[in-house]
Amino acid sequence: MKPRSQPGLQAVIMAGGEGSRLRPLTSNLPKPMLPIANRPMMEHIIMLLREHGITDVVATVQFLASLIRNYFGDGSDLGVSLSYANEEVPLGTAGSVLGARDLLSGTFVVISGDALTDIDLQEVIDFHRARAAAATLVLKRVQDPLEFGIVMTAEDGRVERFLEKPSWGQVFSDTINTGIYVLEPEIFDLIPPDQPYDFSSELFPAMLDKGLPLYGFISDAYWTDVGNTDAFLQAQRDVLTGAVRTDLPGFELRPGVWVGEDVEIHPTARIEGPALIGDNSRIGAGATVGPGTVVAGNSIVADDAVVSGGVVLERAYVGPYSRVRGGVIGRGASLDKGATVEEGAVLGDDVSVGAGAVVNPRVKVYPGRTVEAGAIVTASVVREQRATRSLFGSRGVSGLVNVGITPVVAVRLGMAYGTTLKRGSIIVTGRDSSRASRTMKRALVAGLNASGVTVHDLELVPLPLTRFTVRGEQAAGGISVRTSPGDPEVVEIRLFDADGADLSESDQRKIERVFFREDYRRAAHNKLGELEFPPRTLEQYAAGLMSALDVASIRNLAPKVVVDYAFGGASLVGPSFMGRLGCDILAVNAFTDEHRPVLVTEDLERLLEQLCEHVRKSGSDLGVLLEPGGEVAHLVDDQGRLVGHDRALLAFLKHETERGAREVAVPVCATSACEAVAAAAGATVRRTPVALPALMSFASLPGVGFAGNSFGELIFPRFMSAPDGLMTFGKTLELLALQHRPLSAVVDDLPVSHMATRDVPTPWQLKGAVMRHIATATGSSSGAPNLVLVDGVKVVEAADRWALVIPYPDEPLCRVWAEAPSQADADLLADAYARAVQDVVAAEQDPTAISLSTH
């Protein structure tokens, strides 16, 4: 169409939308900048305006406005004059256009920058002028009007009735408002300034009430609101098939196949139209680009890969033998060899999908996340750092509430766990105080019952009490649902075996197989499991604690103690237990709070500071803060000083070995002073992997009398082979009673250790290389130190000087531990090994740059 000049006619493009329903594609990009056929949607709109001779354009911008400004500039590259009206806060559709009032001088067109249309604007303008309308709305008949404002017009086009986003019971027409208007400047007098105000729900109904000339122009041209992933994909197909009239970038290589500049297509590759391949892209040998596919510029579809009906955005990489079936691959995202992205799935910007991984239909992976090789991603990955090949992680089954872990996932997990057990088995369940934990626990119970398993529900209890009850009830296992200590938005589901210990990896794999195959046991109506609430569990737990302590000595001591329950479930059992020990207790925060199921770092530090002050002012023998999860206790000595977890570990190791423990277990990252303390009492130390399940496994072995780590997780196997904060509290009282000394004196007599830690960013795919280089570089040097490979690589240079490098299991990091005779030396040693890790990461990018040294 030859442009027809429109003197004095202007246009406003509404370009402030966030496009929340299109996330993760719009997480880092405003919705008008999303590409349709390798052009931003707003560019298609500007081209439509220019085609109709409208070249004086104003864009209202708000979300990530700089990206729009930087791309379009003053509009001269597209043959228009483009100005901007910045919307500091969202003001609605009419409110945002009001912000452009000073840039407008007469009749103007309003059009959305995030829709796709080829409407004949000249027809609409002529219609508007012929009726002397104050406002003309472009309308369209659609099959499903529920997501739009519906409009009823008279025969002459005058609007008679308006309703925004009705229910089916309210639908009186299938004619909807497209959001394209021709307006006269008088409408500005009806829009209140500096407040949200909408065209459809406020301005136009007000105009109807005032009897102003409001008309509707019904168009049969193409128009679509690109509001979700399905609409985004359909819009691409509509452009490729010619359903909407617009120019495609590049040239038509053959009918239905368009390619840009400097595109490389291997002779053995198959391109099946309609398809579009952007500038500087490469299609490898044996690759297939199927019908309905758009490949953006600077992207690679590698050898033997298949992309069919999907969209590959800029700088993306589809690896060899990978498959994209109707999904969207975000900017800079990559698929490793043999990965699959199914129909409707979306990868955000810079997502990395490992070899052989599968992203299931309609799953969304948000920007920057990593999907591990071999993973099957069945739920969206929003804030977690990665999706793993297994259901279980280092802390059980965990994920964001109602995103990674939903009630549906919990029901399936309960059914999968129950299916691996005999019908009629008993599972003990417990939870923390949060609503999320309560919701997910109920879903788990439903799944267990559906598989024919009976549930003994303890409701709100500390995690250790659930473990303890599993053994006492002779149950087949247990489940504890709690808020993650590291992130209050994440829920953790911990599954236990018949001994109350975390499930072994073999048992986890059994559950995963059932879960992913959905091969559940579905019990008949008369074989469903029951839900029961066992009595006296708190009393039995308290009795178990008492049986593992020297109660008589503690009662003789009659200690004065300040206890901070930190709003956790320990407040339900602590008072009874402590009363039996004859303690004089000052209790703080002795109630549960569903809004504080865990303590964030700031809250923990504040409570500990207050606890120290309480101990000093009250002259107490001891202060203790019991973390809400129930596994960890923080100790404060009689002088009001916080006792670090590393010092507490040595104190209890000394106490237990002097009382007869011949063998103790500590992780490979614990101070070497453990060996010295144990040797003084004639005991030996067994080193374990760092993870708590490994420590618990060693604690359950015959002959091990104590286990613990420097994170506050202390295990007294005589009671239970798992950490328990109340047991730590009781053992502290026992230590004071038998030592006949205040805690401050006990701690001051312990050997001093000097340790340092560093966290080093390490890409997933380079973790193995880091471990190999650390081990070979240190092991091959002259006077080679001793290498300990219990967990990670530990380089022991002397009895009191060592460094340990371990990859994080759930994050792209490596942690460095170091110990030396002085703190300054420990810091230097940790820095040296951190640099060594950084050198490996850098060298893997440039193999000629390897220069690994830790000295």
Side-chain angles (χ1 to χ4, degrees):
M1 177 187 295
K2 183 178 179 180
R4 173 179 166 183
S5 177
Q6 300 283 351
L9 191 66
Q10 297 171 283
V12 176
I13 299 176
M14 293 186 291
E18 293 186 25
S20 56
R21 290 184 298 160
L22 276 162
R23 290 177 184 157
L25 295 176
T26 53
S27 295
N28 303 321
L29 196 69
K31 185 181 175 185
M33 292 300 295
L34 270 185
I36 301 294
N38 291 345
R39 278 199 178 107
M41 284 190 277
M42 183 170 158
E43 185 171 339
H44 287 283
I45 296 299
I46 290 177
M47 292 168 62
L48 178 71
L49 293 170
R50 185 191 63 201
E51 178 183 317
H52 289 85
I54 303 173
T55 58
D56 190 352
V57 181
V58 180
T60 62
V61 293
Q62 199 255 332
F63 177 68
L64 298 176
S66 61
L67 296 180
I68 295 176
R69 291 176 182 269
N70 292 342
Y71 182 89
F72 291 104
D74 62 3
S76 57
D77 288 346
L78 294 174
V80 300
S81 174
L82 182 60
S83 304
Y84 299 90
N86 195 57
E87 190 178 358
E88 297 297 335
V89 295
L91 293 173
T93 52
S96 68
V97 173
L98 179 65
R101 182 177 190 173
D102 293 342
L103 300 172
L104 302 170
S105 58
T107 304
F108 61 97
V109 174
V110 173
I111 189 168
S112 174
D114 52 23
L116 183 65
T117 183
D118 60 5
I119 187 170
D120 188 340
L121 292 174
Q122 187 60 54
E123 286 187 12
V124 184
I125 294 164
D126 292 343
F127 176 93
H128 174 83
R129 287 172 170 166
R131 287 159 179 76
T136 297
L137 290 62
V138 175
L139 311 177
K140 185 171 179 62
R141 293 189 172 96
V142 298
Q143 292 182 341
D144 183 0
L146 296 187
E147 291 299 316
F148 309 95
I150 59 174
V151 183
M152 181 178 288
T153 59
E155 288 185 4
D156 65 350
R158 184 179 288 270
V159 174
E160 296 181 332
R161 190 177 176 192
F162 220 102
L163 183 63
E164 184 70 1
K165 296 186 178 179
S167 65
W168 275 118
Q170 298 172 309
V171 169
F172 51 78
S173 172
D174 64 349
T175 307
I176 60 101
N177 174 17
T178 65
I180 303 172
Y181 316 123
V182 181
L183 303 174
E184 296 300 325
E186 65 192 73
I187 62 100
F188 288 131
D189 296 333
L190 302 176
I191 304 174
D194 302 320
Q195 69 180 62
Y197 203 72
D198 191 70
F199 279 123
S200 299
S201 61
E202 294 173 289
L203 176 63
F204 295 148
M207 294 179 69
L208 277 180
D209 291 341
K210 293 179 180 294
L212 297 177
L214 180 66
Y215 284 82
F217 175 87
I218 300 175
S219 172
D220 59 0
Y222 180 94
W223 174 88
T224 185
D225 172 34
V226 186
N228 54 40
T229 303
D230 289 342
F232 177 74
L233 288 165
Q234 185 60 48
Q236 312 281 350
R237 291 190 284 266
D238 289 345
V239 171
L240 292 178
T241 59
V244 56
R245 181 177 48 81
T246 187
D247 289 334
L248 284 166
F251 66 97
E252 195 168 10
L253 181 66
R254 60 175 184 270
V257 176
W258 288 265
V259 297
E261 295 181 0
D262 296 322
V263 172
E264 296 180 21
I265 301 175
H266 193 276
T268 61
R270 295 173 55 206
I271 313 296
E272 301 173 11
L276 171 63
I277 302 170
D279 297 346
N280 306 306
S281 292
R282 188 171 82 238
I283 312 299
T288 298
V289 175
T293 296
V294 174
V295 178
N298 300 294
S299 295
I300 297 173
V301 179
D303 297 354
D304 299 298
V306 176
V307 182
S308 182
V311 177
V312 180
L313 296 181
E314 289 182 336
R315 299 177 288 102
Y317 172 77
V318 181
Y321 301 98
S322 292
R323 300 288 184 269
V324 179
R325 303 187 181 107
V328 183
I329 312 301
R331 298 177 301 167
S334 64
L335 275 63
D336 211 338
K337 184 176 181 179
T340 300
V341 176
E342 297 286 8
E343 184 80 20
V346 181
L347 307 185
D349 296 349
D350 301 309
V351 166
S352 177
V353 179
V358 177
V359 181
N360 275 0
R362 315 198 78 77
V363 165
K364 296 179 179 181
V365 184
Y366 275 59
R369 296 340 186 224
T370 297
V371 176
E372 185 180 279
I376 300 175
V377 187
T378 60
S380 294
V381 181
V382 181
R383 291 185 60 184
E384 291 90 347
Q385 293 302 304
R386 67 201 289 231
T388 65
R389 69 169 61 91
S390 61
L391 185 64
F392 289 83
S394 60
R395 301 187 66 88
V397 180
S398 63
L400 278 172
V401 175
N402 272 339
V403 178
I405 299 294
T406 66
V408 173
V409 171
V411 169
R412 292 176 57 205
L413 177 60
M415 292 187 71
Y417 188 15
T419 300
T420 65
L421 306 172
K422 292 182 179 180
R423 190 170 53 237
S425 297
I426 294 172
I427 290 293
V428 176
T429 60
R431 62 170 176 87
D432 69 13
S433 59
S434 72
R435 294 182 185 181
S437 297
R438 180 170 60 217
T439 299
M440 300 309 164
K441 190 209 66 180
R442 289 172 176 171
L444 284 159
V445 169
L448 290 164
N449 288 163
S451 67
V453 170
T454 291
V455 174
H456 285 189
D457 189 16
L458 307 182
E459 300 183 279
L460 198 169
V461 293
L463 186 150
L465 197 154
T466 304
R467 293 188 191 272
F468 180 86
T469 306
V470 168
R471 296 189 307 169
E473 295 282 320
Q474 296 183 330
I479 299 177
S480 178
V481 188
R482 61 182 293 193
T483 306
S484 170
D487 187 343
E489 296 185 19
V490 171
V491 67
E492 297 178 352
I493 303 173
R494 306 275 288 274
L495 275 63
F496 310 139
D497 62 17
D499 293 323
D502 288 9
L503 286 181
S504 66
E505 288 192 10
S506 62
D507 287 336
Q508 291 176 9
R509 297 294 88 78
K510 291 177 184 177
I511 293 171
E512 286 171 350
R513 283 195 294 271
V514 176
F515 182 91
F516 288 121
R517 296 174 182 173
E518 300 189 13
D519 189 18
Y520 311 118
R521 179 177 63 220
R522 292 172 169 82
H525 72 281
N526 59 344
K527 298 292 178 66
L528 295 171
E530 297 183 10
L531 174 60
E532 300 175 355
F533 301 91
R536 302 184 60 205
T537 52
L538 296 181
E539 292 88 341
Q540 292 167 357
Y541 173 64
L545 289 167
M546 300 281 287
S547 67
L549 297 170
D550 188 338
V551 176
S553 297
I554 295 172
R555 286 173 175 166
N556 289 335
L557 177 67
K560 185 177 182 180
V561 184
V562 181
V563 179
D564 190 338
Y565 288 100
F567 318 104
S571 61
L572 303 176
V573 65
S576 171
F577 166 59
M578 295 174 190
R580 296 185 195 184
L581 293 175
C583 299
D584 180 6
I585 298 293
L586 170 62
V588 181
N589 300 318
F591 59 93
T592 60
D593 184 347
E594 69 176 34
H595 301 296
R596 285 185 279 194
V598 294
L599 296 177
V600 297
T601 302
E602 294 79 6
D603 287 343
L604 178 60
E605 291 175 348
R606 177 176 52 83
L607 291 180
L608 288 173
E609 183 178 337
Q610 293 173 355
L611 178 61
C612 293
E613 186 68 17
H614 287 320
V615 171
R616 283 192 294 268
K617 287 184 175 180
S618 64
S620 296
D621 301 303
L622 173 67
V624 62
L625 183 147
L626 299 165
E627 287 197 5
E631 293 184 301
V632 175
H634 298 263
L635 304 178
V636 173
D637 69 17
D638 52 290
Q639 296 183 16
R641 301 179 306 180
L642 183 64
V643 179
H645 290 319
D646 54 341
R647 307 296 285 162
L649 171 64
L650 291 176
F652 287 111
L653 191 152
K654 184 174 187 292
H655 176 67
E656 293 300 313
T657 53
E658 288 177 347
R659 296 196 69 217
R662 297 298 87 196
E663 197 169 24
V664 297
V666 298
V668 68
C669 62
T671 172
S672 58
C674 293
E675 276 78 7
V677 171
T684 58
V685 175
R686 299 184 71 164
R687 292 283 177 166
T688 77
V690 173
L692 178 60
L695 187 67
M696 291 169 55
S697 178
F698 274 80
S700 66
L701 296 176
V704 175
F706 171 74
N709 59 30
S710 55
F711 313 122
E713 295 160 326
L714 306 178
I715 300 173
F716 302 91
R718 182 182 171 191
F719 170 63
M720 184 169 60
S721 298
D724 187 320
L726 278 172
M727 190 66 211
T728 298
F729 167 75
K731 278 291 182 179
T732 306
L733 297 179
E734 180 184 88
L735 183 153
L736 298 180
L738 296 179
Q739 290 275 343
H740 303 291
R741 292 191 298 165
L743 184 58
S744 58
V746 172
V747 172
D748 288 344
D749 282 349
L750 295 170
V752 177
S753 57
H754 302 283
M755 297 189 67
T757 60
R758 303 287 186 270
D759 287 335
V760 186
T762 309
W764 299 106
Q765 67 272 20
L766 298 183
K767 288 182 177 181
V770 166
M771 294 296 99
R772 171 169 51 83
H773 280 295
I774 294 291
T776 55
T778 53
S780 61
S781 60
S782 60
N786 181 35
L787 289 184
V788 178
L789 304 177
V790 171
D791 194 4
V793 177
K794 184 174 184 178
V795 184
V796 182
E797 300 180 0
D800 58 353
R801 181 182 169 87
W802 54 266
L804 170 67
V805 181
I806 299 182
Y808 270 68
D810 301 317
E811 297 182 64
L813 295 171
C814 280
R815 166 156 281 197
V816 175
W817 277 271
E819 184 175 24
S822 70
Q823 190 59 49
D825 195 10
D827 287 331
L828 289 173
L829 189 60
D831 288 339
Y833 276 85
R835 285 194 302 272
V837 175
Q838 293 166 348
D839 287 347
V840 175
V841 173
E844 288 296 315
Q845 313 298 327
D846 178 9
T848 63
I850 186 71
S851 177
L852 183 64
S853 174
T854 58
H855 301 284

